[in-house]
Amino acid sequence: ARFPRILGHEAVGVVESIGEHVDGFQLNDVVLPVFHPHCEECRDCKSSKSNWCARFADDLLPNTRRYGMTSRFKDSFGKEIYHFLFVSSFSEYTVVDIAHLVKLSSEIPVNKAALLSCGVSTGVGAAWKVADVEEGSTIAVF
């Protein structure tokens, strides 16, 4: 593991700035950062039968993919701070490659869009699909 790093992979945010060569996103877009990439170009991304991007499938290093695998985060001394799962959302601001962003409808309030992130879907999915919790049960999901 590489340290120091900014943790966090469950997030919803608003685009505050855009880098060069970025298409498909605008300032103030509501976005869901996801650690599972989608290049939109490979055979698997174009298929309706797959959700595993072939272009980035073996790329597990936690930095920005397109730019020499270097982190965009630096501390006050200029030392690199590493990404976590390409999202690093436990921060006020983060830098996310567009392969890790899903644009949401502007009609969805940010506080409601947060329910689409991993925390709720994983917790509900685990209780519903894996634990097979029955109606009337009392449970706690952590």
Side-chain angles (χ1 to χ4, degrees):
R2 296 184 201 176
F3 293 97
R5 69 178 44 211
I6 300 171
L7 298 176
H9 72 284
E10 301 169 359
V12 169
V14 176
V15 175
E16 296 231 355
S17 64
I18 299 174
E20 294 179 34
H21 312 295
V22 173
D23 294 322
F25 293 91
Q26 297 178 11
L27 295 178
N28 299 314
D29 280 347
V30 177
V31 293
L32 179 71
V34 295
F35 65 88
H36 199 294
H38 189 80
C39 76
E40 299 183 15
E41 299 168 2
C42 73
R43 173 183 50 106
D44 292 324
C45 285
K46 289 180 179 180
S47 169
S48 62
K49 297 182 179 186
S50 174
N51 70 341
W52 191 259
C53 176
R55 179 176 177 191
F56 297 133
D58 297 324
D59 185 0
L60 302 175
L61 294 174
N63 285 315
T64 308
R65 299 176 184 283
R66 300 175 200 269
Y67 309 101
M69 296 309 294
T70 60
S71 177
R72 297 281 180 98
F73 302 126
K74 308 281 186 246
D75 67 13
S76 60
F77 301 105
K79 184 177 176 189
E80 191 168 38
I81 301 174
Y82 298 99
H83 277 262
F84 178 72
L85 293 175
F86 309 101
V87 175
S88 295
S89 63
F90 289 174
S91 57
E92 187 173 352
Y93 296 92
T94 190
V95 178
V96 180
D97 189 300
I98 60 172
H100 292 275
L101 286 178
V102 175
K103 188 183 336 184
L104 301 176
S105 168
S106 61
E107 295 177 16
I108 301 174
V110 173
N111 63 341
K112 301 285 191 272
L115 298 174
L116 298 173
S117 68
C118 182
V120 172
S121 60
T122 300
V124 170
W128 183 20
K129 299 290 188 180
V130 178
D132 197 23
V133 174
E134 297 174 5
E135 186 175 340
S137 298
T138 302
I139 64 164
V141 177
F142 297 93

